[in-house]
């Protein structure tokens, strides 16, 4: 049975947590004791209904404020597929948390309140979905019950969002009119929206075609640890341990070590302490080369016919996550897999205007949750892929050199 990773996004009070609760509730994926607990917590509600949002709003502060603060993951399955859901915050202040939840998602559900239509957060989350190359976008137009299931309102939002999708060049976009509160078109088809002929949300999630998240075409092996016991029994042992990020490695493959560019041949592959002829992502292995090569933690072993970029001048799209603004001349650590190098912001090329989805040039800084393209200068050469080519080796983070806090998500270009 395959697995679909998806997240929900949207503005505060658009109903993300309620939607997830409804999905779990109507698909019979709530344990009896969980249901008893949220029924007890909901006993004071005026309409007597169960507050399904409590299934994901797990933090005390979330319950008190009625908003989601941190990313909450839920797991459920149907006879057709397994699912991992990331419930991400809708408040602008926590956009950075949403980026974290979206980083490895196959699909994003963007909730739109039918009464408000496409708003700034809709465009912001769509922009992030575009930057992160999330393959599928579902626009769930929620709270249709509050508009008496008005088709015209639904059609207008679809028309408005199609302009956003075209501007951002989103690949696959689908639209579902729903009411998470009462369950219309979540698991069961609504009896009040006969004009909608598409699948329910769960039917779509069960049947959407998802490409395997494991890339077996491009072989990438970042070295995490050099094993050199130097004992009498293992006098000449030198192995390079790590997790195959993508691709397939076979004994006898010609490889290049990055960033040095030294060529070698794979002499032996160890998997779980046993020698094997081949290994593939995401297995953790030890590679042995036919010659002694100067390799350190963070270097990459790549097949000879599939090269990486190597540079100290790197263009990157950055989603800024820190209260202290990013500005030209500031220094950070750039962490790329297990490689960490000092880096300086040489230039801010432009900032993306979330409302107009246009580039603003001649900017001097980026504030919390803003998206900018920057040029970075690293202290030593970095070997990488463009994020649009391979997500695993094209993603990085910027880390504050003093506090060691992650301050920005970087998509290398």
């Amino acid at each position: 049975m395959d697995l679909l990773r998806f997240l929900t996004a949207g503005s505060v009070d658009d109903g993300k947590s309620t939607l997830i609760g409804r999905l779990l509730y109507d698909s019979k994926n709530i344990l009896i004791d969980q249901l008893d607990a949220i029924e007890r917590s909901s006993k004071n509600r005026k309409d007597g209904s169960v507050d399904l949002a409590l299934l994901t709003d797990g933090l005390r502060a979330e319950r008190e404020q009625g908003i989601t603060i941190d990313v909450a993951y839920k797991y459920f399955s149907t006879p057709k597929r397994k699912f991992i859901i990331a419930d991400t915050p809708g408040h602008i202040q926590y956009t950075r948390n949403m980026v974290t939840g979206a980083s490895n998602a196959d699909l994003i559900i963007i909730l739109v309140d039918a009464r408000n239509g496409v708003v700034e957060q809709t465009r912001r989350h769509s922009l992030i979905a575009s930057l992160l190359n999330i393959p599928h976008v579902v626009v769930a137009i929620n709270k249709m019950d509050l508009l008496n299931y008005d088709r015209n309102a639904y059609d207008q939002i679809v028309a408005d969002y199609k302009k956003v999708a075209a501007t951002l060049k989103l690949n696959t976009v689908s639209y579902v009119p729903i009411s998470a509160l009462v369950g219309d078109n979540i698991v069961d088809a609504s009896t009040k929206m006969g004009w909608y002929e598409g699948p329910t949300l769960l039917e779509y999630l069960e049947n959407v075609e998802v490409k395997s998240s494991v890339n077996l075409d491009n072989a990438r092996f970042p070295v995490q640890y050099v094993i050199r016991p130097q004992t009498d029994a293992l006098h000449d042992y030198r192995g390079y341990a790590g997790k195959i990020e993508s691709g397939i490695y076979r004994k006898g493959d010609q490889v290049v070590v990055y960033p040095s560019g030294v060529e070698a041949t794979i002499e032996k592959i160890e998997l779980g302490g046993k020698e094997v002829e081949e290994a593939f992502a995401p297995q953790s292995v030890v590679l042995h080369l036919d010659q002694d090569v100067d390799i350190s933690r963070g270097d990459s072993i790549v097949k000879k016919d599939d090269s990486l970029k190597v540079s100290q001048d790197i263009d990157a799209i950055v989603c800024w996550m820190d209260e202290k603004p990013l500005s030209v001349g500031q220094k950070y650590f750039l962490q790329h897999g297990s490689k960490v190098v000092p880096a300086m912001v040489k230039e801010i090329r432009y900032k993306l205007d979330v409302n107009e989805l246009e580039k603003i040039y001649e900017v001097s800084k980026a504030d919390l949750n803003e998206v900018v393209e920057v040029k970075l200068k690293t202290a030593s050469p970095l070997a990488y892929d463009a994020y649009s080519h391979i997500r695993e080796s094209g993603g990085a983070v910027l880390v504050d050199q003093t506090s060691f806090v992650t301050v920005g998500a970087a998509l290398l270009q």
Side-chain angles (χ1 to χ4, degrees), residues 33 66 96 112 123 165 208 293 367:
D33 58 339
R96 51 191 168 185
V112 175
R123 285 186 281 270
V208 63
V293 181
D367 293 316

Side-chain angles (χ1 to χ4, degrees), residues 215-229:
N215 174 357
L216 295 178
D217 297 327
N218 306 99
R220 301 287 186 262
F221 181 81
V223 176
Q224 294 177 1
Y225 187 66
V226 179
I227 302 175
R228 189 80 171 95

Side-chain angles (χ1 to χ4, degrees), residues 68-273:
T68 301
I69 295 174
D70 206 354
V71 182
Y73 292 95
K74 284 290 178 184
Y75 309 86
F76 77 103
S77 63
T78 67
K80 290 187 175 181
R81 180 170 270 174
K82 293 180 180 177
F83 303 92
I84 298 177
I85 318 170
D87 181 22
T88 62
H91 198 289
I92 292 176
Q93 180 183 354
Y94 302 113
T95 298
R96 51 191 168 185
N97 302 34
M98 180 260 174
V99 174
T100 303
S103 59
N104 63 354
D106 304 306
L107 181 147
I108 181 171
I109 298 175
I110 297 179
L111 270 88
V112 175
D113 187 325
R115 299 168 300 173
N116 301 329
V118 175
V119 296
E120 179 181 336
Q121 275 296 73
T122 313
R123 285 186 281 270
R124 185 187 300 276
H125 292 160
S126 301
L127 173 63
I128 292 170
S130 170
L131 293 174
L132 293 176
N133 282 343
I134 298 178
H136 301 277
V137 176
V138 179
V139 181
I141 300 166
N142 193 22
K143 305 190 181 182
M144 290 296 295
D145 53 310
L146 299 181
L147 291 180
N148 200 27
Y149 304 100
D150 180 12
R151 178 173 186 171
N152 291 331
Y154 168 80
D155 288 342
Q156 183 59 54
I157 292 170
V158 171
D160 290 344
Y161 193 84
K162 282 184 176 178
K163 296 175 186 173
V164 174
T167 303
L168 295 174
K169 299 179 181 176
L170 295 173
N171 293 322
T172 305
V173 183
S174 301
Y175 303 88
V176 185
I178 64 169
S179 169
L181 185 65
V182 296
D184 288 298
N185 286 337
I186 306 297
V187 172
D188 302 313
S190 172
T191 58
K192 297 165 185 167
M193 289 184 276
W195 45 265
Y196 173 72
E197 298 177 345
T200 66
L201 188 60
L202 183 61
E203 287 171 345
Y204 183 86
L205 297 175
E206 284 184 324
N207 294 296
V208 63
E209 186 174 343
V210 179
K211 185 179 177 182
S212 171
S213 58
V214 179
N215 174 357
L216 295 178
D217 297 327
N218 306 99
R220 301 287 186 262
F221 181 81
V223 176
Q224 294 177 1
Y225 187 66
V226 179
I227 302 175
R228 189 80 171 95
Q230 293 184 306
T231 61
D232 291 339
L234 297 168
H235 184 75
D236 296 322
Y237 189 100
R238 184 191 296 270
Y240 307 103
K243 177 180 171 183
I244 299 176
E245 208 164 58
S246 59
I248 304 170
Y249 287 85
R250 295 183 177 88
K251 194 173 167 182
D253 279 345
Q254 301 292 306
V255 295
V256 177
V257 179
Y258 285 88
S260 67
V262 174
E263 297 183 10
T265 301
I266 294 179
E267 188 175 62
K268 189 166 72 173
I269 301 173
E270 289 181 83
L271 174 64

Side-chain angles (χ1 to χ4, degrees), residues 99 102 124-134 168-170 316-319 350 352 370-373 387-388 391 394 409-413:
V99 174
R124 185 187 300 276
H125 292 160
S126 301
L127 173 63
I128 292 170
S130 170
L131 293 174
L132 293 176
N133 282 343
I134 298 178
L168 295 174
K169 299 179 181 176
L170 295 173
I317 301 284
V318 173
C319 180
Y350 61 80
L352 287 170
E370 289 189 329
V371 178
V372 292
E373 178 171 318
Y387 184 86
S388 58
R391 290 171 84 174
L411 313 177
L412 309 182
Q413 305 296 294

Side-chain angles (χ1 to χ4, degrees), residues 293-359:
V293 181
D294 181 12
I295 298 179
S296 304
R297 174 181 166 82
D299 290 350
S300 292
I301 298 175
V302 174
K303 284 192 180 177
K304 186 178 178 180
D305 58 355
D306 192 4
S307 62
L308 287 171
K309 292 183 176 185
V310 180
S311 179
Q312 287 182 257
D313 295 294
I314 300 168
D315 296 331
I317 301 284
V318 173
C319 180
W320 192 243
M321 301 176 168
D322 196 32
E323 302 281 354
K324 183 181 175 183
L326 172 150
S327 58
V328 175
Q330 285 184 326
K331 296 177 181 177
Y332 303 97
F333 290 123
L334 180 67
Q335 177 154 4
H336 175 249
S338 51
K339 183 92 169 180
V340 179
V341 294
M344 183 179 73
V345 179
K346 282 188 68 181
E347 178 185 353
I348 300 177
R349 289 186 161 166
Y350 61 80
K351 177 168 68 177
L352 287 170
D353 181 333
V354 175
N355 279 315
E356 302 299 329
L357 299 177
E358 293 177 345
K359 297 174 182 176

